[in-house]
C-alpha cells in the first residue's frame, strides 16, 4: 500500500517563507529611525557626546582612546563604571567606560547621559592628574 505522505528529503530545504506563508520578516524600523539603534550604539553615542564636549576645552584628549566595554574583566568587590589607563610605549592613553554597570544604575536616557558624562570627566581628571571640577566646571552640578 502506498502512503499519501511523501518521504522527507535527507537535507532540509532553505526556507522561503515563514510558517504562515507570509514571507520572511524584515526589520521593524528603517535604519534612519532611532528605534533601529541598539542600546550599545546609543551608549557609544552618549560617550562620544561627552568626549566632544570635553575636547573643546581640553584639546590634548584627541590623543586619548575612548573605549566602551560591556563589563569589567576583573572580579572586584565594587564594580567600576570606568577606568583610565596611562599611555605606555607604543600605546596611547585609554579611557574605558563600562556600559552595563552604568545602565544598571540609571533609569532613563537623561540619567544615563549625566552618569556617562560624570564617569568620563572623572576618568579624564584621573588621567590628567586634576580635580574633576577643573576638567568640567559643571561637574556635580547637573
Amino acid at each position: 500500500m502506498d502512503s499519501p505522505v511523501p518521504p522527507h528529503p535527507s537535507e532540509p530545504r532553505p526556507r522561503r517563507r515563514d510558517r504562515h506563508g507570509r514571507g520572511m520578516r524584515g526589520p521593524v524600523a528603517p535604519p534612519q529611525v532611532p528605534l533601529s539603534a541598539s542600546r550599545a550604539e546609543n551608549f557609544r553615542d552618549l560617550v562620544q557626546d561627552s568626549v566632544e564636549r570635553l575636547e573643546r576645552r581640553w584639546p590634548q584628549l584627541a590623543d586619548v582612546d575612548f573605549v566602551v566595554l560591556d563589563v569589567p574583566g576583573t572580579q572586584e568587590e565594587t564594580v567600576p563604571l570606568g577606568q583610565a589607563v596611562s599611555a605606555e610605549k607604543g600605546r596611547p592613553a585609554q579611557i574605558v567606560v563600562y556600559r552595563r554597570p552604568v545602565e544598571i544604575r540609571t533609569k532613563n536616557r537623561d540619567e544615563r547621559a549625566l552618569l556617562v558624562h560624570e564617569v568620563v570627566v572623572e576618568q579624564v581628571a584621573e588621567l590628567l592628574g586634576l580635580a574633576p571640577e577643573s576638567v568640567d566646571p559643571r561637574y556635580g552640578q547637573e
Side-chain angles (χ1 to χ4, degrees):
M1 213 191 273
D2 289 17
S3 172
V5 179
H8 291 293
S10 60
E11 44 186 80
R13 296 184 321 201
R15 290 183 70 172
R16 303 267 186 249
R17 297 187 170 279
D18 68 358
R19 65 185 179 147
H20 298 289
R22 295 186 192 113
M24 298 303 284
R25 296 186 66 145
V28 176
Q32 306 84 353
V33 179
L35 176 67
S36 67
S38 69
R39 288 189 337 216
E41 291 170 338
N42 289 334
F43 192 86
R44 276 189 230 108
D45 290 344
L46 292 176
V47 172
Q48 186 62 36
D49 291 344
S50 181
V51 170
E52 288 172 358
R53 191 167 137 188
L54 291 176
E55 279 182 339
R56 286 184 230 127
R57 184 176 167 104
W58 301 94
Q60 63 265 40
L61 292 179
D63 298 331
V64 177
D65 286 342
F66 289 86
V67 180
V68 175
L69 296 178
D70 284 342
V71 292
T74 59
Q75 299 291 331
E76 299 177 17
E77 277 188 36
T78 60
V79 178
L81 301 178
Q83 178 182 10
V85 181
S86 300
E88 292 180 4
K89 188 176 182 180
R91 193 195 69 186
Q94 189 178 54
I95 292 180
V96 181
V97 180
Y98 299 111
R99 180 176 66 89
R100 292 296 297 145
V102 170
E103 286 179 340
I104 288 170
R105 287 170 176 78
T106 57
K107 294 179 183 147
N108 57 42
R109 182 177 168 82
D110 293 336
E111 283 183 16
R112 196 168 301 122
L114 288 173
L115 185 56
V116 164
H117 186 67
E118 284 184 11
V119 170
V120 170
V121 167
E122 289 168 0
Q123 299 310 315
V124 167
E126 183 179 327
L127 190 67
L128 298 177
L130 301 170
E133 294 81 14
S134 62
V135 172
D136 184 6
R138 295 184 294 178
Y139 173 80
Q141 296 176 3
E142 299 172 4

